[in-house]
Amino acid sequence: MTEDQILLGIALTVALAAFSQILAGKLRVPALLLLLPAGFVAGALTDVIHPNNLLGPEFSALVSLSVAVILYDAGLGLDLRQLTGRTRGIVGRLLVAGILLTFLAVAAVAPALFGMSLASAAMVGVILVVSGPTVVGPLLEYVRPTDKLRRILVWEGTLIDPIGGILGALVFHAVSSSQSAVGHGYQLGQFAISMGIGLVGGAVGVALLWLTLRVLRLGETLGTIAQLAVVIIVSAGCDIVRDDTGLIAATVTGLAIANLPGLDMPARRPFFETLVQLIIGLLFVSISSTVTPASLKPVLLPSLLLIAFLVLVVRPLVAFVSTGKAGLTLGERGFLGWMAPRGIVAASTASAFAADLSDQGLAGASKILPVTFLVIVGTVLLYALTAAPVARRLGVVRPSRSRPLLVGGDRWVVDMGRALRSAGLDVLMWAGDEDERERIRDAGLELARGELLATATNPRARLEGVTTVFLCTDDDDFNALASVMVEGNVEGPVYRVGPPHEGHGVVAPYTGGDVLFGARLVRHVLAERYRQGARYLVQPASRPVPADCETLFVVRADGRLVPVTEASAGAAAAAEDDLLVLLGPVPLAQPRPGPG
């Protein structure tokens, strides 16, 4: 290729990856639904984005390192405190049963469906055992299942990727050397060796990051550079020793860094998070561009049958076997049986091994990549279209009723929490001062654990069960900084009470985020009005609002909470069956709130 063609290919690949993800975000669909067709169409129309033309044989090594970075980032989002008791057992059984049953089932039916050899069928089977957080996560954000199901599926998807990658490498080497791909103790020994190398690499990665983040105390920019460098160095080193062990090392490093105490992770990692998203887009576009229309035609119908077999038989069987006597409801077990999309590791493994096996003349090896491509597209499309209605039918969707978290323990904040609770909401509160925490307990409100806000500043943490955060402490700079730190770690928006107009806070006037109650009811005004006797009133929206009262919140009939802000005044317009939370003088007899 000429230099101009290489530049055009790189530019086109980046453009397709970026715009597909942007469009997917606007449409609220998994980016994979647009990335794979975009790469496939571009690859069919032009060969300038074909990775083998742009990078040659080095593309496989680049894919391996890129997937390692993705899995490291996924490991950072795994909190071991959430993997306890029955959840840990369910995840473990899903991994074991999912790998064994999927591998054996696909290897058994693939020769008849695709006319390939048993060795090629074994390769397809081991490729399709993986799922992955890059597709499971976006689907779960859209479906909104219960937190228990979300934890189980995210853990399963993250842990099965590196295991599947190693198994893929083992089967590939066994097939290449004409040894049996399954059933020999030799292969189990090889798997144990690979796991050991990956764990050693993970330990080295943790030690290096402890040195850079704990001892040297690097900041956000240098800390991000250190993380990226360590993951690449450790993953490349492990892969040099043994193929695909770098995936284990990367996942172990991320998991350890996220859970070991005393490591000063950069509070925000916008560059690293952006890099991971770009890598995902580039990989999907590049790999899908290698799939030609001619290669899809002979395997299209058999692949549809394989997808139906995986979705309707194999995954439900895996879920049934794994969740017996696990304390899950029938609906929860059913949803686990309806969520197994394939993702980036399946695509990268197929891309890495299929061409070599085809060059060796293995019967059916040329069909491995197109079959994998169709299974990825088919499973993601099917689950994206059906997961939400299935979850609703099974009764495993989180209720639409809001669960706000109020941060602050002043009397006016605690009384606000009581008013929201009287409107039918499940209110959670947090405060740092022990006297304020005692005040919350005395009010009968649920008090969050002490480390909640510290956990929430982790860029990959998640405030489970919380739909909205209201920052109402008496420290305006804390409210401003916390609004930036917590944003993205909660399902819904984050609001803060407004600082005094004449204040000279260090950061409060300069940060973004929606300010509660508009410009007039800033923090000190609210506190002063409460001290002078103003109180919160809850009344049906069908009643006229008294002239001396101001509307603070609208509680919808379905339990959704809408605060009044300058930016959302229109959104807070109330219907007759809504409830209003007002601030005003206490009437002689408060009207009883309607059903909440």
Side-chain angles (χ1 to χ4, degrees):
M1 296 181 69
T2 66
E3 181 179 350
D4 289 344
Q5 289 176 318
I6 293 175
L7 291 174
L8 177 60
I10 294 174
L12 183 58
T13 303
V14 173
L16 289 173
F19 288 118
S20 295
Q21 290 182 315
I22 292 171
L23 182 58
K26 292 297 182 181
L27 297 176
R28 296 189 62 192
V29 299
L32 185 58
L33 287 178
L34 301 181
L35 288 168
L36 288 179
F40 174 72
V41 172
L45 296 178
T46 176
D47 60 355
V48 295
I49 72 168
H50 196 289
N52 289 335
N53 293 335
L54 289 174
L55 301 171
E58 291 80 11
F59 177 64
S60 177
L62 186 60
V63 168
S64 179
L65 293 178
S66 299
V67 174
V69 173
I70 294 171
L71 292 182
Y72 168 77
D73 185 65
L76 289 177
L78 299 179
D79 188 349
L80 287 175
R81 290 172 297 183
Q82 298 174 0
L83 189 65
T84 58
R86 288 180 173 176
T87 301
R88 179 172 57 236
I90 294 170
V91 171
R93 289 191 295 272
L94 282 172
L95 291 174
V96 175
I99 290 172
L100 289 177
L101 292 179
T102 303
F103 171 67
L104 294 176
V106 174
V109 302
L113 286 176
F114 304 106
M116 58 176 52
S117 66
L118 181 60
S120 294
M123 198 70 236
V124 174
V126 78
I127 287 172
L128 295 181
V129 302
V130 297
S131 177
T134 59
V135 287
V136 172
L139 283 174
L140 295 181
E141 291 296 328
Y142 174 70
V143 176
R144 300 179 63 252
T146 60
D147 289 326
K148 181 195 299 183
L149 289 177
R150 180 186 177 278
R151 283 197 300 270
I152 292 171
L153 289 167
V154 170
W155 272 96
E156 179 200 13
T158 302
L159 294 179
I160 203 171
D161 272 0
I163 296 174
I166 286 181
L167 290 174
L170 291 177
V171 172
F172 169 75
H173 291 304
V175 169
S176 298
S177 58
S178 300
Q179 300 180 42
S180 173
V182 295
H184 286 162
Y186 171 79
Q187 296 299 328
L188 294 178
Q190 295 299 305
F191 176 77
I193 293 173
S194 296
M195 288 291 294
I197 293 173
L199 292 175
V200 171
V204 172
V206 171
L208 291 174
L209 287 178
W210 180 86
L211 174 65
T212 56
L213 301 178
R214 174 69 173 174
V215 177
L216 301 180
R217 295 190 176 276
L218 301 180
E220 179 178 299
T221 301
L222 293 179
T224 298
I225 293 174
Q227 290 178 79
L228 183 61
V230 167
V231 172
I232 291 177
I233 291 169
V234 170
S235 300
C238 289
D239 283 342
I240 290 171
V241 176
R242 194 172 186 85
D243 288 344
D244 279 350
T245 55
L247 302 184
I248 285 284
T251 306
V252 169
T253 302
L255 182 61
I257 292 300
N259 289 276
L260 289 176
L263 276 168
D264 294 331
M265 286 288 294
R268 308 299 295 178
R269 301 175 300 116
F271 173 76
F272 198 88
E273 295 163 359
T274 303
L275 178 64
V276 169
Q277 290 302 311
L278 181 61
I279 288 174
I280 292 171
L282 294 176
L283 287 181
F284 275 128
V285 169
S286 298
I287 292 173
S288 60
S289 71
T290 65
V291 181
T292 63
S295 68
L296 292 182
K297 187 176 181 179
V299 299
L300 180 58
L301 182 58
S303 295
L304 294 177
L305 296 176
L306 178 60
I307 292 169
F309 180 60
L310 290 170
V311 171
L312 299 177
V313 179
V314 177
R315 179 61 183 188
L317 180 61
V318 169
F320 177 79
V321 170
S322 304
T323 57
K325 298 181 180 180
L328 299 180
T329 66
L330 186 60
E332 290 171 333
R333 297 179 70 184
F335 186 75
L336 288 177
W338 196 257
M339 184 56 64
R342 271 61 181 180
I344 187 61
V345 173
S348 62
T349 305
S351 175
F353 298 143
D356 289 340
L357 293 177
S358 182
D359 291 341
Q360 295 174 18
L362 190 67
S366 61
K367 300 178 181 179
I368 293 176
L369 183 57
V371 169
T372 303
F373 175 85
L374 289 172
V375 170
I376 292 173
V377 174
T379 55
V380 172
L381 180 61
L382 178 64
Y383 290 127
L385 294 176
T386 63
V390 167
R392 287 193 296 268
R393 185 66 180 267
L394 295 175
V396 296
V397 178
R398 287 197 301 272
S400 58
R401 182 173 296 275
S402 296
R403 190 183 190 223
L405 167 65
L406 272 67
V407 179
D410 285 348
R411 297 185 186 279
W412 68 271
V413 182
V414 175
D415 209 13
M416 182 189 296
R418 295 177 61 187
L420 293 175
R421 185 183 62 180
S422 71
L425 299 180
D426 181 15
V427 178
L428 180 66
M429 294 198 67
W430 181 90
D433 183 76
E434 186 56 39
D435 290 339
E436 294 180 342
R437 295 175 67 82
E438 188 63 33
R439 185 179 298 142
I440 295 171
R441 295 190 192 97
D442 292 342
L445 295 168
E446 183 180 354
L447 180 64
R449 66 182 189 271
E451 71 275 12
L452 176 71
L453 261 292
T455 301
T457 59
N458 183 333
R460 296 306 302 267
R462 181 181 175 88
L463 293 175
E464 293 190 345
V466 174
T467 61
T468 312
V469 176
F470 300 115
L471 297 160
C472 303
T473 74
D474 59 0
D475 188 331
D476 298 312
D477 283 334
F478 172 87
N479 296 334
L481 288 172
S483 68
V484 176
M485 304 292 286
V486 177
E487 189 175 12
N489 296 348
V490 65
E491 179 185 336
V494 178
Y495 302 92
R496 62 186 176 106
V497 70
H501 303 302
E502 69 277 6
H504 297 284
V506 177
V507 297
Y510 308 107
T511 56
D514 216 348
V515 175
L516 282 170
F517 316 135
R520 291 190 303 111
L521 291 179
V522 293
R523 176 185 54 79
H524 72 294
V525 173
L526 282 166
E528 180 60 23
R529 289 184 61 173
Y530 184 87
R531 189 186 66 81
Q532 293 178 359
R535 291 298 181 266
Y536 304 101
L537 314 175
V538 180
Q539 71 171 45
S542 57
R543 295 174 177 267
V545 176
D548 52 357
C549 291
E550 299 190 61
T551 302
L552 302 183
F553 300 96
V554 176
V555 183
R556 303 297 186 195
D558 61 0
R560 289 181 295 115
L561 178 64
V562 181
V564 175
T565 68
E566 285 186 332
S568 62
E576 286 191 359
D577 54 353
D578 295 340
L579 290 177
L580 302 180
V581 179
L582 312 174
L583 177 68
V586 179
L588 294 179
Q590 292 191 40
R592 295 184 61 161

